Amino acid sequence: MGLATGTIKKEQLNIIYIVRALAILGVIFVHVTSIPIGEIVDKSSSMFFYFNFLNVFNKFGTPTFIFLSALVLFYSYYDRPLNGKLIARFYQRRLLYILTPYLIFSLLYYVIQMYYSFGETWEQFFQHASLSNFFQMVLYGKSFYHLYFVFISAQFYILFPALLWFLKKYPRVTKHLIWIGFVMQWAFVLYNHYSLHYEDKGQLGISYISYYFMGAFCGIYYHTFKDWITVTWSNLFSKKAFFWIPLWIVWIASSFGDVNLWYQTRVNDFSANSLIYEGYWFFHTFTSPLILLQIASFLYRKLNTKLINTIINLGVASFGVYIVHAAVLFYYFRLPVSYTPAAYYLYIAVGYAFTLLLSWGIVGLAQKYVKGAWMLFGSKPKKAPYI
């Protein structure tokens, strides 16, 4: 792949919003199917097989969002003069549009978690809730199960200015970011496996550094990179296909291997070395952002305007949907359900649709009609990314 950054005029990355839409669809699949994974008693049933597939196959969401965050940041900032004003503006935007919604929803989820954990009375809530406990949960992204993503993102926001400065000072390093990120992440995985034994490593940015560095590489070299991932009939007979074919083979093999590994673990009480689980998950989720970019590029060129704009709209709302969907899902799964197969399939399917559409509706309407919606759901793009 010939690499060049140049001073090409920046285009709006419309297909990124399609990838965000696909990623949030995957996130909701994982969270919705985690309920039947725990509730279905007959693990050998076809129902469990399907839910296990959806649960494991769609675990690309968080790594993809981290990849996209780095891609957009380095695409936007790498060619700009690095000074105090730029860094101050960067942190101001992160504080306003990421950390403010995070703090507000952390409080909401803390109240939900404490209220329903202790008798569902306000008397019990006030007996067990405390500011120190709340702030500790906020500090580590633990107010609710999905908020760790913002905690990880905050770690990368702290890293970003220093990394940007380093890469601008030593631009030759940018060509090596993918393998450097791979080595750093797996050095930590092996160190943790054999020596550190830190249980919550999924809360640490180093556990996702390869996705971040790959995103940085793709952002810096986006114009060249975009040409390499765009699938067309003419390119099928070019050297670019030699990049696609191994990519798709690794993605398919690791994705289905990951699904099968967890199926055997959950159904047959099979247990492998934790590095085997780590390896399948890594190659599954590491290749997924590139596959999703190829799919997004194809959809952007082939779907009709109305449908593609609908998908882009979901991508624009994806951060807000991510933040709010867990609350919608929590209350939906408090509804009673019949455990007959047909009724349960319908219950889960409706749960997915209800969670997605209500979350999307709340965020979309707020962004359109509520002036201060950014405090809850983050910012919208300055220029509408629709066709």
Side-chain angles (χ1 to χ4, degrees), residues 18 22 248 251 290-300:
I18 302 174
L22 297 174
W248 278 81
W251 178 70
L290 302 179
I291 298 295
L292 292 177
L293 275 168
Q294 289 194 309
I295 293 171
S297 176
F298 178 80
L299 295 177
Y300 189 76

Side-chain angles (χ1 to χ4, degrees), residues 144-215:
F144 218 60
Y145 62 83
H146 67 311
L147 293 179
Y148 75 97
F149 166 68
V150 183
F151 177 62
I152 293 166
S153 298
Q155 295 172 55
F156 286 124
Y157 295 150
I158 294 170
L159 170 68
F160 175 70
L163 181 60
L164 180 63
W165 171 84
F166 180 82
L167 294 177
K168 287 173 72 69
K169 186 174 179 64
Y170 304 101
R172 290 184 180 181
V173 177
T174 58
K175 297 179 181 180
H176 304 283
L177 281 170
I178 294 179
W179 73 259
I180 290 172
F182 178 90
V183 169
M184 289 177 66
Q185 183 165 322
W186 274 92
F188 173 72
V189 167
L190 294 172
Y191 171 63
N192 189 63
H193 178 79
Y194 289 110
S195 180
L196 186 60
H197 307 300
Y198 186 72
E199 292 184 1
D200 278 345
K201 71 180 183 67
Q203 302 283 118
L204 302 178
I206 188 67
S207 296
Y208 300 89
I209 196 74
S210 63
Y211 309 95
Y212 192 77
F213 275 27
M214 182 169 69

Side-chain angles (χ1 to χ4, degrees), residues 105-124:
F105 274 96
S106 289
L107 178 60
L108 170 67
Y109 284 115
Y110 180 76
V111 171
I112 290 173
Q113 191 162 237
M114 296 300 288
Y115 179 83
Y116 288 98
S117 296
F118 298 103
E120 299 182 28
T121 68
W122 289 112
E123 182 181 359
Q124 290 289 324

Side-chain angles (χ1 to χ4, degrees), residues 357-376:
L357 295 176
L358 183 59
S359 302
W360 186 2
I362 290 169
V363 176
L365 290 172
Q367 287 182 334
K368 188 172 183 179
Y369 296 110
V370 180
K371 190 174 182 180
W374 61 267
M375 296 180 65
L376 295 174

Side-chain angles (χ1 to χ4, degrees), residues 13 17 24 41 46 131 139 174 215 263 269 275 289 307 324 339 370:
L13 306 182
Y17 294 99
I24 195 62
V41 176
S46 59
L131 281 176
L139 189 61
T174 58
Y263 182 77
D269 293 326
L275 291 177
L307 182 55
V324 79
Y339 286 94
V370 180

